[in-house]
């Protein structure tokens, strides 16, 4: 006979969601068996009740046997030996169904009795154990909840003893009930085969004994087949008896070994704390806020998987992500209404969770395990040995949650006097290694041994004149939507385009060419390959502000401008052909690796499926800037034309004045050539004019004195 699927009795005390899920499959299988056996019982009972309808009832039995292979039993549905055996039975029964009926007494003894016993005794026992187990499980959950609600400040020994005793009793009852329930479900896998084969075997033996004269239909080959089936039934029964005996012995051993574990807070001297774990699983109470002050606690099964903390509710097939615990911080916290609480804070400080362990041992082990995972010890070859070396203090494995400023300070260099090339040299070795490992099919686009910068160096954190001076950026707080109230205008205040996007910086590197999108694609490939090779997963999130003058990277928390890219220097921009979240642009700046020439640097970012929108926005900004430049040039040209016209007008008026002066001089020369009378008259005229001028001078002096 093929192997029998069994429920693990050894895991009943842990009562994990995986065990409950497997139990649900067995319960579903028991339901399917019950439904099928009820149908088979009704068919056989029809044979027993009416001999006149024996042929029809036998035909129905044969039909049901043929449909056995179509039944979808969660366990044992693909038993080919059982299916072929039942198929052969169905053929023989179909031949006998057209002959004659079976005596009711023989049917009652050989056919109806076994299936009735299975239906009334075994299946009802499963249902009874299921109800008892459900009650015990609910009582245990209620006892655990009462135990978890024990107050830390107002601790009452009498109440604590009663609650602890209640937990012990309910857990022991649940464990024992669950083990017997598992044993019954495992035994059912044997009994269902016996319950199917024994009635059929009795039916055929009754037919043989009753129809001795019809030996032409019941030949020796059929008798041999029936003998083999009888032997198989006996083998299954012996195997079942042996397995039941082993399961009973296992139950007894587990009861003795698990007795100290029934206490929710075991003795730490008998069960020492293991501080070098990198994987752990168990039930925890999670705190959920329901209001400003009130909160609830939900009990769920938690387990670690790599660098993630997973949670799984009872009955769920798989767990879900609760928190990313890579580079997180964990610390023990004091809760007013709970004991053994600890808090996990994500690496960026945006998400935190408060959990409660069941015992002091679990409390310390969870803190140590999460702390070891946070240091990425699980990635080493021997995690436990590495954890033992790292954790020098076995009593204190709690790291306080660092503030944002502490994390910010941790990213700074050791001293401000450190030369700015220190970061370049370190990233250069990293970039050269990744460049050697990357494909060189497009090496003409990227400079050889080009260092890759994987993080943004903010001007507030580090003084790098190469970037700050090149882009003309400052370390002041910037409002991306314009500033008001200050005497100094923002450089983007008059821009007609303001678009803000959330981006994450992947890296930047110097490139040779800036005239084809393949430069951006090759840079994306090399930066992503280098990140994968060196296990660099952290990305700096920023706000990208697109204006008609420049592109700005702004810190989302402090609103400080990290980098400024003048728009005229952005000569190329593109989105990845397949992954629209990736985009990049090439910036042409002075200096770089050679201070006397221009250099091109490609910056790669990741967005929230907005790569094409960002590229379109940059293109729109460049078009607006181009049109503005053309309008400025046209206005300057128009002003130049007006200045030329004004200059010509001044020259023309000056020429007219010269001609007028020449004409006046010629008139005076002609007048001087006249006789003396004319000269005397001229003198008189001149004298009279001089007198008039003197009178005018006197009047001017009087006016000045009056003023």
């Amino acid at each position: 006979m093929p192997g029998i699927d069994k429920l693990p009795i050894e895991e009943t005390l842990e009562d994990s969601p995986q065990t409950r899920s497997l139990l649900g499959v067995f319960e579903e299988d028991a339901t399917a068996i019950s439904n099928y056996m009820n149908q088979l019982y009704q068919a056989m009972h029809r044979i027993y009740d009416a001999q006149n309808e024996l042929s029809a009832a036998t035909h129905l039995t044969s039909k049901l046997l043929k449909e056995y292979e179509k039944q979808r039993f969660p366990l044992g549905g693909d038993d080919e030996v059982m299916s072929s055996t039942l198929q052969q039975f169905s053929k023989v029964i179909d031949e006998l169904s057209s002959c004659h009926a079976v005596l009711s007494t023989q049917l009652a003894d050989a056919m109806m009795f076994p299936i009735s016993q299975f239906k009334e005794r075994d299946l009802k026992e499963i249902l009874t154990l299921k109800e008892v187990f459900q009650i015990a499980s609910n009582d245990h959950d209620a006892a655990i909840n009462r135990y978890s609600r024990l107050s830390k400040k107002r601790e009452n020994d009498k109440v604590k003893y009663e609650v602890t005793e209640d937990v012990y009793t309910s857990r022991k009852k649940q464990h024992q009930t669950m083990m017997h329930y598992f044993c019954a479900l495992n035994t059912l896998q044997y009994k269902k085969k016996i319950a199917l084969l024994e009635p059929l075997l009795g039916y055929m033996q009754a037919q043989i004994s009753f129809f001795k004269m019809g030996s032409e239909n019941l030949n020796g080959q059929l008798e041999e087949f029936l003998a083999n089936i009888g032997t198989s039934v006996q083998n299954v029964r012996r195997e079942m008896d042996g397995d039941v005996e082993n399961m009973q012995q296992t139950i007894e051993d587990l009861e003795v070994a698990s007795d100290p574990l029934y206490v929710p807070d075991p003795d730490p001297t008998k069960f020492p704390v293991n501080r070098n774990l990198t994987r752990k699983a168990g039930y925890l109470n999670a705190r959920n806020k329901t209001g400003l002050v009130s909160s609830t606690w939900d009990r769920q099964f938690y387990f670690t998987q790599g660098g993630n903390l997973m949670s799984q509710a009872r009955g769920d097939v798989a767990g879900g992500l609760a928190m990313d615990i890579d580079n997180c911080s964990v610390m023990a916290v004091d809760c007013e209404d709970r004991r053994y609480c600890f808090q996990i804070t994500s690496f960026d400080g945006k998400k935190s969770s408060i959990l409660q362990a069941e015992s002091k041992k679990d409390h310390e082990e969870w803190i140590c395990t999460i702390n070891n995972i946070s240091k990425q010890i699980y990635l080493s070859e021997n995690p436990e040995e590495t954890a033992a070396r790292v954790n020098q203090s076995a009593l204190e494995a709690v790291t306080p949650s660092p503030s944002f400023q502490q994390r910010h300070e941790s990213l700074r260099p050791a001293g401000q006097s450190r030369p700015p090339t220190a970061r370049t040299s370190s990233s250069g070795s990293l970039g050269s290694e990744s460049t050697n490992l990357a494909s060189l099919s497009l090496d003409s686009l990227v400079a050889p041994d080009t260092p890759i910068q994987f993080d943004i160096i903010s001007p507030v954190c580090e003084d790098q004149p190469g970037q700050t001076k090149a882009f003309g950026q400052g370390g002041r707080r910037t409002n991306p939507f314009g500033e008001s109230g200050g005497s100094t205008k923002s450089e983007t205040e008059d821009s007609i385009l303001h678009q803000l996007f959330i981006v994450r910086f992947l890296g930047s590197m110097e490139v040779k060419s800036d005239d084809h999108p393949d430069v951006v694609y090759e840079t994306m490939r090399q930066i992503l390959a280098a990140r994968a090779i060196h296990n660099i997963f952290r990305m700096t999130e920023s706000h990208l502000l697109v204006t008609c003058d420049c592109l700005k990277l702004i810190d989302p928390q402090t609103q400080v401008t990290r980098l400024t890219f003048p728009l005229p220097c952005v000569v190329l921009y593109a989105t990845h052909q397949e992954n629209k979240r990736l985009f990049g642009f090439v910036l042409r700046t002075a200096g770089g690796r050679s201070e006397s020439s221009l250099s091109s640097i490609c910056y790669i970012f990741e967005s929230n499926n907005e790569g094409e929108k960002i590229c379109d926005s940059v293109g729109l900004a460049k078009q607006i800037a181009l049109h503005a430049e053309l309008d400025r040039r046209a206005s300057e040209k128009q002003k130049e034309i007006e200045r030329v016209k004004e200059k010509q007008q001044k020259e023309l008026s000056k020429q007219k004045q010269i001609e007028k002066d020449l004409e006046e001089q010629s008139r005076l020369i002609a007048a001087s050539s006249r006789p003396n009378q004319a000269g005397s008259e001229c003198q008189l005229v001149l004298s009279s004019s001089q007198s008039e001028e003197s009178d005018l001078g006197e009047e001017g002096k009087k006016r000045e004195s009056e003023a």
Side-chain angles (χ1 to χ4, degrees), residues 490-610:
S490 172
E491 59 184 357
T492 60
E493 192 178 48
D494 297 332
S495 178
I496 63 175
L497 179 65
H498 287 81
Q499 289 190 348
L500 199 66
F501 303 94
I502 298 176
V503 297
R504 289 169 292 279
F505 182 70
L506 294 177
S508 63
M509 59 188 301
E510 186 174 349
V511 295
K512 286 184 178 181
S513 175
D514 55 11
D515 56 357
H516 198 274
D518 289 340
V519 177
V520 180
Y521 305 150
E522 175 64 13
T523 306
M524 288 179 182
R525 187 190 66 80
Q526 293 201 20
I527 290 178
L528 292 177
R531 278 180 166 268
I533 292 171
H534 299 285
N535 294 324
I536 302 175
F537 302 107
R538 181 178 296 179
M539 295 181 289
T540 303
E541 185 172 288
S542 304
H543 288 171
L544 177 64
L545 178 63
V546 181
T547 66
C548 299
D549 301 324
C550 61
L551 307 180
K552 281 188 176 183
L553 285 180
I554 302 173
D555 188 280
Q557 295 183 353
T558 62
Q559 294 300 314
V560 172
T561 301
R562 289 172 171 167
L563 290 177
T564 302
F565 308 101
L567 193 63
C569 297
V570 179
V571 296
L572 181 64
Y573 49 91
T575 307
H576 197 276
Q577 302 99 316
E578 299 177 357
N579 188 357
K580 300 304 180 182
R581 298 173 61 184
L582 299 178
F583 76 97
F585 59 83
V586 179
L587 189 75
R588 184 184 297 169
T589 59
R593 304 179 83 180
S594 58
E595 297 292 338
S596 61
S597 62
L598 294 177
S599 64
S600 299
I601 302 176
C602 185
Y603 293 83
I604 305 300
F605 297 87
E606 181 188 38
S607 64
N608 299 329
N609 296 321
E610 294 181 341

Side-chain angles (χ1 to χ4, degrees), residues 39-40 42-43 46 55-65:
Q39 297 179 21
L40 188 60
Q42 293 175 2
R46 184 177 178 182
S55 179
T58 310
H59 179 71
L60 179 59
T61 303
S62 175
K63 182 180 179 181
L64 287 174
L65 295 177

